[in-house]
Amino acid sequence: MKKYLIAFLSVVMVVSGRAQETYPVAGISDKRPQTYAVTGATIYRDFQTVIEKGTLVFKEGKIIAVGANVTVPPNAVVVDANGLFIYPSFIDMYGDYGLPAVKKTDRSNWRNIKPESSKKGAYGWNEAITPEVRADKLFAADEKAAAELRKLGFGAVLTHQRDVIARGSGTLVTLGSKKENEEIIKGIAAAHYSFDKGSSMQDYPSSLMGALALLRQTHYDAQWYRAAKDNTEYNISLDAWNHLQPLPQIIEALDWLTLLRADKLGDAMGVQFMIKTTGDEYKRLDEVKATRAPLLVPVNFPEAYDVENPFDALQLTLADMKHWELAPTNAAMLHGAGIEFAFTADGMKDKKSFLINIRKAIQHGLPETAALKALTYTPAKLINALDKTGSLEKDRLANFIITSGKIFDKETRILENWVQGNKFVIDNTHLENIDGIYLLEFSGNQLELTIEGSPFKTKASVMLDTVKTDVQFSRNANNVTLAFNFSKDKKVTQVVRLAGVIEKEHWSGKGQLHDGAWTDWTARYEKPLEKKDEKKEEKKDSIPDVGKIIYPFVAYGYEEAPRAETVLIKNATVWTNEKEGILQNADVLLKNGKIAAFGKNLSDKVAQVIDGTGKHVTSGIIDEHSHIAISRGVNEGSHASTAEVSIGDVVNSEDINIYRQLAGGVVAAQLLHGSANPIGGQSALIKLRWGFPPEKMKFENAPPFIKFALGENVKRSNWEQPFLRYPQTRMGVEQVYVDFFTRAREYEKKQKDYSALSKKEKANTPPPRRDLEMETILQILNNERFITCHSYVQSEIVMLMRVAEQFGFRVNTFTHILEGYKVADKMKAHGVHASSFADWWAYKYEVIDAIPYNAALLTEAGVTTAINSDDAEMGRRLNHEAAKSVKYGGMSEEEAWKMVTLNPAIMLRVEHRTGSIKAGKDADVVVWSDNPLSVYAKAEMTFVDGIRFFDLEKDKQLRQSIADERARLIQKLLAAKKAGEKTQKAGSAVEKIWHCDD
């Protein structure tokens, strides 16, 4: 019989790795560096090079030679690995092995939050930025944790402190569980970042856009610090940041949306991030590929949902069910797209499922060579450690695993994991192959016993004469049990149960017959199994069928993105918002994304003709004040001014409210920062291009805006909180504006003064620091960015206009503006626009004087006025909100309609592109079933740039396809549970709908 392994002396194991040269020897020196040769195995030298019957020679933790014709050194300890497989040990690029647990913090209690850093020392101002943290200084070998990782096949880990936003440096360590000096193979190996401020109890940042802005500003601060270091403050954090920049830069993303945001941040910083993902990149493969970012991909596939109770199934979104089905395809799709990636065990509840899930990814189309590459070569390459690990070549570390078969075969087990030449036994229960024909004897009976299969999955049968009977067979190391039905001379069938031990080719033990009698038994090896002449083709499992990806990856998504059409709408009532007014029985031609023409008796040979008889055609609704389609926070309310943050960084293209509002005739929306501070963040103007990624939703070349706010939300004087953020009064709000505008002018002067210096003078003068907050505020002063201001009380409305005039600019828009009717004359003189609610009042004291005539009175005074939603639900009904001014203010229908179409386009400074039916403008057009101001009107079709993003008839088809897809997935989930898969309780996270004061 073949031996698979030979046992090593434990003393040899201790001295085989590298020694700590700088440590004193206690007692007698014992230097016995031993050479080892593992022979006869199938060796995967790297992910694509296989050596049959190969030999691996190593000494003092490093490989000396590997190949098929390697001469075994005469003094080597030989390991017979005949029939086994050897692979490079795996590398996990994203772990926290050996590092202290992060202190949990409770931010639910406002009293724990602090406005400034309390960290002692010459560090940076924000406790979430800690580039000075070094994992190599925190690292402590942990045998228990190392053993768990070794069982999975890992030999090395890039470990880092999983806390705060700028996390410092990671260190590359092996899993030998020896002295830290021996385990660390690359002390400062990478720089790590995230968007989670972790244990920091500082209030800033409180949103995702704040985290992005903080990283961006820190980058510029570090550049300035490097240039001005000898002439400015000493800053440990910025110094450390600069020292980390030549290293691989790794950032953790929260989903594919944040992956794209991280890459955009890297572009601004001049950095190509490696991005640790969440495994949902398949949802936007083209956009992910365009980043060119290497990815660190987890395989924490979601467990099947338990939907046996029909009511539980109702708790699941279509997106969650589809992700359960499609997550295992992610790696295959990344590979097919040519995207570089490495696997990580991060995020797995049960890390024992790591290899199981890798195999699952292979079943779903990932080539085995690609899987092995992602576990070995690619992580070593990304961390610049190919000279040490990632393959089995001369002078590399002797980090390898010995397996019973091909690593990705279901029955294969990892037998041993060698780390720096030190052996760790993972599975020693099956050391010998026992297949063959045996003579089984018990109680005077002789049967032919057949054993076949691998040591880990054995089939057994007995034969008496010509009758073959299957045997229930189990084995634990050299202990075996057999149970089978036995019928001699076709008499009464009896159950025989035998237990015993294997001793080479002879088995023996005790057994029990059906009548309870005990018997001795033996089994003696007779001959090997007969080899079959025909070559059995290796059966490969077919790739499982899965549903299609939809864009966006939520209900009502498209399998293929819709495209612009040539459409001719005939014989409709057309609301032009132009001098032509409302036309009866008119036509509108949409072509190449534009309104090509409107009028009577139009024709186009290739156009799809839509009968508009009895229908109304308008330009699409524009919502001047919206908070839909925003990820992870609408307010960065931590400081009185957060002008540096941008909603444009966190546009969420997957928000179902986009589709719902298209169904209400909305084609564009300004996504505004909330109203938590006097100077909020930069806004984003988007078109509701349902299914497009975030950057392609943005209104091209739209003038930039910013959110300001007045009133109760800003001064917070009635809030319960542990610290008082300035301002606390309406007087203080005014002072904030004056102060920041003054500072922005001073900032501008510094920049100009430095630019005016000669080259020689600049060499001796520290450059001014780039300040993104001041740059943004300066844009306001220079009429390059425009203000939309949350407002209620007349005194504050007038105050901000006077401050603006003092600094030489004009406020663009007052939003809410519920006391605008009181100061309409002053607003007209200032040149500011008004974006109001139709009839909201009495929801807080400062709107006690709100009236439903406000919009009509402002319009009558000559102020360009719009009606906005500020609410995801009301955004679907802005046509009804506009109609209220017809009722309350006696406004004409045409003027009322302009308040949700042309007027918001004017105040957003895009009226040359949209807001009316005019040749050459964007084809942002809605077909209504009735007068758009009627409560009975339905948006039957909504076109954005000539693309039909909503169609009432198509919507009916989508509803049916959603029902069909849900039914299919529910049946698949039920089948998964029946097949024994682990399940989880059904339920989906509730999507947050943001409001001004959130």
Side-chain angles (χ1 to χ4, degrees), residues 822-868:
K822 297 182 180 180
V823 290
D825 56 338
K826 294 180 175 62
M827 292 174 63
K828 171 65 176 175
H830 183 76
V832 67
H833 308 302
S835 185
S836 179
F837 295 132
D839 59 353
W840 280 23
W841 64 77
Y843 51 90
K844 57 181 175 178
Y845 188 78
E846 68 179 342
V847 297
I848 195 170
D849 286 344
I851 58 174
Y853 311 99
N854 185 49
L857 292 172
L858 285 164
T859 301
E860 187 177 322
V863 177
T864 301
T865 305
I867 300 294
N868 67 68

Side-chain angles (χ1 to χ4, degrees), residues 672-683:
L672 284 169
H673 185 279
S675 55
N677 39 7
I679 302 175
Q682 303 160 33
S683 63

Side-chain angles (χ1 to χ4, degrees), residues 16-35:
S16 62
R18 56 180 182 158
Q20 298 182 84
E21 294 290 341
T22 60
Y23 274 55
V25 176
I28 304 300
S29 174
D30 183 7
K31 288 189 176 182
R32 290 178 289 174
Q34 185 64 63
T35 302

Side-chain angles (χ1 to χ4, degrees), residues 793-837:
V793 179
Q794 63 170 323
S795 58
E796 287 191 296
I797 295 166
V798 173
M799 175 271 290
L800 184 57
M801 289 190 293
R802 287 173 177 167
V803 170
E805 290 165 3
Q806 174 186 343
F807 284 90
F809 72 95
R810 295 292 184 268
V811 179
N812 190 86
T813 307
F814 282 112
T815 188
H816 305 330
I817 195 67
L818 295 185
E819 288 191 17
Y821 66 92
K822 297 182 180 180
V823 290
D825 56 338
K826 294 180 175 62
M827 292 174 63
K828 171 65 176 175
H830 183 76
V832 67
H833 308 302
S835 185
S836 179
F837 295 132

Side-chain angles (χ1 to χ4, degrees), residues 33 609 658 690 701:
V609 177
I658 298 168
W690 181 240
N701 302 313

Side-chain angles (χ1 to χ4, degrees), residues 816-981:
H816 305 330
I817 195 67
L818 295 185
E819 288 191 17
Y821 66 92
K822 297 182 180 180
V823 290
D825 56 338
K826 294 180 175 62
M827 292 174 63
K828 171 65 176 175
H830 183 76
V832 67
H833 308 302
S835 185
S836 179
F837 295 132
D839 59 353
W840 280 23
W841 64 77
Y843 51 90
K844 57 181 175 178
Y845 188 78
E846 68 179 342
V847 297
I848 195 170
D849 286 344
I851 58 174
Y853 311 99
N854 185 49
L857 292 172
L858 285 164
T859 301
E860 187 177 322
V863 177
T864 301
T865 305
I867 300 294
N868 67 68
S869 74
D870 191 17
D871 178 79
E873 171 60 25
M874 196 165 75
R876 302 191 297 137
R877 297 179 281 103
L878 280 172
N879 58 322
H880 300 157
E881 297 300 299
K884 290 176 180 178
S885 288
V886 178
K887 174 183 178 180
Y888 290 110
M891 189 179 286
S892 72
E893 289 189 346
E894 196 170 355
E895 284 302 311
W897 186 246
K898 286 180 181 178
M899 290 201 300
V900 291
T901 52
L902 182 59
N903 290 1
I906 291 170
M907 59 187 64
L908 291 169
R909 300 175 179 248
V910 291
E911 72 276 13
H912 61 292
R913 288 273 306 274
T914 189
S916 65
I917 303 293
K918 182 178 181 180
K921 282 194 174 186
D922 295 351
D924 301 337
V925 172
V926 184
V927 179
W928 300 88
S929 63
D930 206 329
N931 182 316
L933 296 175
S934 167
V935 293
Y936 299 107
K938 294 180 180 178
E940 294 188 347
M941 299 176 192
T942 302
F943 295 86
V944 180
D945 300 316
I947 302 173
R948 197 180 321 193
F949 283 103
F950 177 79
D951 185 302
L952 197 56
E953 290 303 313
K954 177 68 173 176
D955 180 78
K956 294 176 183 177
Q957 297 171 20
L958 284 171
R959 289 171 187 263
Q960 183 59 53
S961 67
I962 290 167
D964 293 344
E965 181 72 344
R966 287 184 65 89
R968 180 187 71 82
L969 287 163
I970 287 169
Q971 290 304 311
K972 196 167 183 178
L973 286 164
L974 290 170
K977 181 180 180 181
K978 188 176 181 180
E981 287 191 27

Side-chain angles (χ1 to χ4, degrees), residues 304-568:
Y305 295 98
D306 188 344
V307 292
E308 278 195 326
N309 185 331
F311 292 102
D312 289 339
L314 295 175
Q315 307 303 313
L316 285 170
T317 65
L318 180 67
D320 281 338
M321 288 193 286
K322 287 184 74 67
H323 179 59
W324 164 75
E325 181 184 45
L326 286 164
T329 71
N330 186 55
M333 292 190 186
L334 293 174
H335 172 74
I339 297 171
E340 187 174 37
F341 68 94
F343 282 129
T344 173
D346 179 67
M348 301 194 73
K349 292 180 182 177
D350 180 8
K351 285 189 166 55
K352 293 176 184 176
S353 300
F354 179 69
L355 267 177
I356 294 172
N357 284 1
I358 298 287
R359 289 164 184 151
K360 197 171 185 179
I362 291 168
Q363 291 167 7
H364 283 77
L366 179 68
E368 291 188 7
T369 53
L372 186 58
K373 183 179 182 181
L375 290 164
T376 55
Y377 176 85
T378 300
K381 175 191 170 190
L382 294 178
I383 204 63
N384 298 325
L386 278 174
D387 61 329
K388 297 181 180 296
T389 187
S391 63
L392 301 177
E393 299 180 57
K394 189 174 183 291
D395 295 329
R396 305 295 192 273
L397 294 176
N399 283 14
F400 61 91
I401 55 176
I402 300 178
T403 65
S404 62
K406 291 185 176 180
I407 185 63
F408 301 121
D409 288 352
K410 184 177 180 180
E411 300 304 323
T412 293
R413 300 200 184 185
I414 298 173
L415 305 177
E416 296 178 0
N417 192 340
W418 292 70
V419 181
Q420 290 181 278
N422 295 315
K423 183 180 78 169
F424 295 91
V425 176
I426 307 300
D427 189 332
N428 64 355
T429 58
H430 304 292
L431 301 181
E432 295 185 358
N433 190 352
I434 56 172
D435 58 353
I437 307 295
Y438 295 77
L439 178 63
L440 174 63
E441 295 182 282
F442 66 93
S443 191
N445 300 300
Q446 291 187 336
L447 289 76
E448 181 179 277
L449 172 65
T450 301
I451 304 293
E452 58 183 327
S454 73
F456 308 105
K457 188 175 183 181
T458 305
K459 292 181 179 179
S461 61
V462 293
M463 183 174 289
L464 178 63
D465 297 330
T466 60
V467 179
K468 183 178 180 180
T469 304
D470 289 338
V471 174
Q472 293 181 13
F473 180 90
S474 66
R475 179 184 179 194
N476 182 8
N478 289 328
N479 299 308
V480 293
T481 60
L482 302 89
F484 55 92
N485 294 326
F486 175 61
S487 177
K488 188 173 183 180
D489 299 329
K490 298 184 179 179
K491 294 181 180 179
V492 179
T493 300
Q494 53 182 296
V495 178
V496 176
R497 294 183 176 86
L498 308 176
V501 295
I502 300 172
E503 295 180 357
K504 297 185 178 180
E505 298 179 357
H506 181 78
W507 306 5
S508 63
K510 291 281 188 181
Q512 192 174 31
L513 306 181
H514 74 292
D515 57 3
W518 290 91
T519 180
D520 293 325
W521 67 273
T522 62
R524 186 177 69 251
Y525 181 75
E526 293 279 300
K527 59 184 177 180
L529 296 173
E530 291 185 9
K531 292 183 179 179
K532 296 179 181 180
D533 293 334
E534 69 275 9
K535 290 185 177 179
K536 189 176 180 180
E537 291 186 7
E538 185 178 346
K539 184 180 178 182
K540 291 190 175 180
D541 294 332
S542 59
I543 297 174
D545 290 329
V546 294
K548 293 184 178 179
I549 299 171
I550 52 177
Y551 307 94
F553 198 78
V554 294
Y556 300 95
Y558 308 114
E559 291 182 5
E560 292 184 6
R563 298 180 180 179
E565 310 167 71
T566 299
V567 173
L568 179 59

